[in-house]
Amino acid sequence: MGHKAFSALGLVTSLGVFVVTLQTVCGDVAFSLPEEMKRGTVVGNIANDIGLDAGKLAARKARIDADGNGKRYCDISPSTGDLIVTNRIDREALCGKKASCVLKEELVLENPLELHRISIHVQDINDNAPQFSEDLISFEIRESAIKGARFSVTEAHDADIGANAVQRYNLQNNDHFTINVATEAGGRKHSDLVLMKELDREQEQELKLVLTAVDGGSPQKSGTATIHVTVLDANDNAPVFSRAVYKANIPENSQLDTIVVTVSATDADAGPNGDITYNFDHVAQDYVSLFSLDPKTGAIRVIGSIDYETDNSFELRIRAKDVPGLTSYCTVIIDVTDVNDNPPAISLKSLFNPIPENVSPGSQVGIINVQDRDSGTNRQVHCSIQQNVPFKLVPSIKNYYSLVTTGQLDRELVSEYNITITATDEGSPPLSSSKTVHLSVADINDNPPVFEEQSYSAYVSENNKPGSTLCSVTARDPDWRQNGTVIYSLLPGEVNGAPVSSYLSVNGDTGVIHAVRSFDYEQLRSFKVQVMARDNGSPPLSSNVTVSVFISDVNDNSPQILYPAPEGNSFMTELVPKAAHGGSLVSKVIAVDLVPKAAHGGSLVSKVIAVDADSGQNAWLSYHIVKSSDPGLFTIGVHSGEIRTQRDISESDSMKQNLIVAVKDNGQPSLSATCSMYLLISDNLAEVPELKDVSYEEKNSKLTSYLIIALVSVSTFFLTFIIIILGVRFCRRRKPRMLFDGAVAIPGAYLPPNYADVDGAGTLRSAYNYDAYLTTGSRTSDFKFVTSYNDNTLPAEQTLRKSATDFTDVFGDFLNQNRFNLKVGRHREI
């Protein structure tokens, strides 16, 4: 059924995405088939002819493309490789009178790209009967016509060719005429009516004969026309054309009414016998719509659109006829020259879309086909692409181009491309066309989340509510959809030995960080956590950021008074006043100190020592005397807490002085603590009365006070007398010496945990050493501060602490004699 001839030329190029090897198979595969085959008729198996595996045709997207973007008449079965008729094939419509009718189609295969040219030779069948241009052929023949005279008969037209065309003419039997058939060099057959017997108008004025044209097909087909002969008097000359064949050239798209050629015929007869008219003789209707013939002048004009790509030549048969009816014929051949009137046509044959952004440079993403219907240099086409895209066109096979990448793609920078491909021919002037190819870039998870800041700081006041918001972290991921979805979490860690999750939590969607617990500045001032931002890609990418949490102090700790100490001895008693307001932390400490009568103004009498566990201004302490039995006698340092005399002590001053000292911090609102100090003005310990319940006088009636005063007076007198006797005797024996030298440090138990050291706030910043004299007698004996020292004489770890019982055990002899002198130094350095 078919034959093939092919040769292969390999062209290998490296591509990505789907890297393919382009091979071109340049050759023809030829098939022959009769025209008018039914749709679905198998022409042949093209897969076998070119040596392909039919099972791979579908995978390689096998298809039939018409050469030059013409109509496609056949297609390939991807399952069997058969070439199948898909449209009606009419040889006469395709090729007219051409001896050879060949359809050019192309078999295109992808992966790798191959191209096979297919030539389908269409064979003529006898599907057209001969036809005369006129059903009635009229002749007016003079009776003077001699035997053997010839009269040209209109040619019968048969669209078929070869043996299927007109082969002979048959004339109805008669006494006067016969038909003579002649064959021209081109194979065309024409007939002449030959007079065999002279006409006699008087015997027969007209004749009607049937002329039959028969083709050579099987079965044969025929056409008939009636010849009507009118016998006239003699018209001896028929028209004669100046040339048998006229040739002309016109460019396509010639303007309307353009004269192509003018035919001319002459008649030797005179008068009406010499008048000639011109007509088309059996011209196709398509041609009649393109050209017109002036019946008087013989001028052929353009009346339609001439398209070289549709018909590049025309053949017209012209008839010249005189009035009596004698005719002659000529042929006009019109060649059409090509004009560059067709821009290149760009077709997108294959496209890989979308493209992954990680595709390697040099990857093929599409196949482009370019066609130009013009001919010669007008058909030569050059393709180009704009320069601002990472793509280029690579010529592959014939008029095919591969669209390949030239650089690395990044969807986050450019997510889609509109690639404009321009094709320009070499005509004059050149014509061009453009086609825009839209390509989308598919996202790859190639970007980790990036935090907006390199680190974050959160500030929160202590005593915050659990669940309160501290700060918010934000990370951006330029990837798309799930690759760009960010999820936040805390990295495992510890803060003060506890999991970080017990301190903070983070919202996985919003990045808002919440406090899980309430913070205490005195326990924890700052800490750091790591927050991770992870995208939802596969595999996921992440990044970390450090969040520093700073806890600010709140004034939630009242000052604590270290001295006078509220514990551990018989000289101090802690009292809480009934007048304390709700929410106020008030500590009232009672202390009794001895003040010498000879103390001058500005002398240091005592010192109030306090600390505050808060920090900053919340720990800045100030000391104030809020109540004094003698307001003008004593003053207190606002920041040092030192109690000094404002003036010299006189005899008129009361022996017992009562001071209420308030210690306030600088917080908002301010917190405070108070203590009461009882000062006894006396130069002699014997004068000091028993003070078992010093503060009791403030709460009892006047009678109770008088009783106490009387008791103290008697005791004082007695003790003074004893002391004088013992003193005289002791002085005689030896000079009094100090029993203890050194400093008694403030016990560490008095210091609250985590208190802050604040310069200039008076919280134990300086060191003080005092000499103290302990009176004899009961547990109500007091300390008397008489001298201060600036240097430390005993380290803190060697601090001496003694209770009243200890004094009794060590100095029993002195107590029995009602005489002892104790030097006690209290020391504390902050």
Side-chain angles (χ1 to χ4, degrees), residues 796-814:
E797 61 272 12
Q798 301 177 10
T799 299
L800 176 64
R801 293 186 59 185
K802 293 294 182 176
S803 64
T805 306
D806 295 333
F807 291 146
T808 304
D809 294 339
V810 178
F811 305 110
D813 295 338
F814 293 96

Side-chain angles (χ1 to χ4, degrees), residues 735-769:
K735 183 180 178 180
R737 61 184 182 91
M738 297 296 179
L739 298 179
F740 299 95
D741 293 329
V744 180
I746 299 173
Y750 293 155
L751 299 178
N754 301 327
Y755 71 90
D757 299 339
V758 181
D759 293 342
T763 57
L764 305 180
R765 188 59 182 172
S766 301
Y768 293 90
N769 297 323

Side-chain angles (χ1 to χ4, degrees), residues 104-143:
K104 297 291 186 179
E105 295 190 338
E106 295 175 344
L107 172 63
V108 180
L109 300 172
E110 295 185 11
N111 300 323
L113 181 62
E114 292 183 12
L115 184 66
H116 298 271
R117 291 193 296 269
I118 303 173
S119 299
I120 302 175
H121 297 266
V122 182
Q123 300 174 353
D124 183 51
I125 64 173
N126 191 25
D127 58 338
N128 292 283
Q131 291 182 351
F132 289 90
S133 58
E134 298 174 336
D135 294 334
L136 179 62
I137 303 173
S138 299
F139 290 98
E140 293 179 351
I141 305 174
R142 290 188 181 277
E143 58 183 359

Side-chain angles (χ1 to χ4, degrees), residues 404-640:
V404 299
T405 59
T406 59
Q408 191 67 46
L409 304 180
D410 189 350
R411 191 205 67 83
E412 288 69 46
L413 295 179
V414 181
S415 61
E416 56 185 18
Y417 293 91
N418 288 319
I419 305 171
T420 301
I421 300 172
T422 303
T424 305
D425 60 27
E426 294 184 359
S428 180
L431 298 178
S432 63
S433 61
S434 299
K435 185 177 184 65
T436 299
V437 178
H438 179 78
L439 285 175
S440 298
V441 182
D443 184 52
I444 299 296
N445 189 28
D446 57 347
N447 291 282
V450 177
F451 285 94
E452 291 183 349
E453 300 180 16
Q454 294 182 350
S455 63
Y456 290 84
S457 297
Y459 298 90
V460 58
S461 299
E462 64 173 329
N463 303 326
N464 59 292
K465 292 183 178 180
S468 59
T469 300
L470 300 187
C471 68
S472 176
V473 296
T474 303
R476 305 295 182 186
D477 195 320
D479 292 324
W480 194 45
R481 290 187 176 173
Q482 67 177 12
N483 293 333
T485 302
V486 179
I487 301 173
Y488 303 94
S489 62
L490 287 175
L491 290 180
E494 291 187 354
V495 176
N496 281 354
V500 69
S501 58
S502 64
Y503 285 83
L504 300 177
S505 67
V506 62
N507 188 303
D509 296 327
T510 63
V512 176
I513 298 177
H514 300 276
V516 175
R517 62 168 64 177
S518 178
F519 300 119
D520 186 358
Y521 176 83
E522 287 71 40
Q523 299 294 330
L524 181 65
R525 298 191 177 186
S526 65
F527 60 93
K528 294 182 179 180
V529 297
Q530 291 283 327
V531 178
M532 179 181 69
R534 175 181 59 84
D535 60 30
N536 206 23
S538 179
L541 301 178
S542 63
S543 60
N544 302 333
V545 71
T546 300
V547 179
S548 300
V549 180
F550 298 95
I551 303 169
S552 58
D553 185 46
V554 173
N555 191 28
D556 59 345
N557 290 281
S558 300
Q560 296 187 23
I561 299 176
L562 303 182
Y563 182 82
E567 63 176 1
N569 56 64
S570 60
F571 306 113
M572 301 178 184
T573 304
E574 181 176 338
L575 301 176
V576 179
K578 293 182 178 180
H581 296 288
S584 298
L585 179 60
V586 180
S587 175
K588 185 172 183 181
V589 181
I590 299 176
V592 179
D593 293 311
L594 296 179
V595 179
K597 293 182 179 180
H600 301 288
S603 298
L604 178 63
V605 175
S606 183
K607 178 179 175 64
V608 177
I609 302 174
V611 295
D612 195 311
D614 294 320
S615 64
Q617 67 177 8
N618 295 329
W620 296 350
L621 302 181
S622 61
Y623 301 84
H624 308 275
I625 297 177
V626 297
K627 185 177 180 181
S628 175
S629 57
D630 190 346
L633 183 57
F634 298 101
T635 183
I636 189 169
V638 175
H639 300 297
S640 64

